[in-house]
Amino acid sequence: MGKVQAMMKRFVIERDLPGVGGMSESELGGAARTSNEALAKVAGVQWEHSYVAADKTFCIYLAENEGQIRRHAELSGFPATRITEVASVIDPTTERCSLA
């Protein structure tokens, strides 16, 4: 029998990156390349997308555990200032669930 794959959890990673909101598209592309290169070295973690603010990014990742996210931060050089596991996701349509 093969190894049972662990379930992926969703995490929000807050990264303190002064000035990131002022980076050009080319600079952000370079940052994405650096992140992708680090991701290729860490099994069981996927980057969904990131929100770029003035001095922070908020990255959405899927991973089996927080340790994999910390390893990616080490390899990429991008700090994982705060890692929060997502308990659930809601949106405007979630209201319908309360009407059932």
Side-chain angles (χ1 to χ4, degrees), residues 21-76:
M23 291 176 74
S24 69
E25 192 171 316
S26 176
E27 290 169 318
L28 290 172
R33 183 173 34 263
T34 298
S35 181
N36 288 334
E37 289 169 355
L39 283 168
K41 298 174 185 174
V42 183
V45 61
Q46 297 173 17
W47 175 28
E48 287 192 333
H49 60 274
S50 296
Y51 299 99
V52 179
D55 293 318
K56 294 179 183 279
T57 61
F58 298 89
C59 304
I60 311 302
Y61 276 60
L62 296 176
E64 295 168 3
N65 61 64
E66 187 176 316
Q68 293 161 308
I69 294 168
R70 292 199 181 284
R71 181 68 179 139
H72 170 266
E74 275 179 33
L75 292 171
S76 68

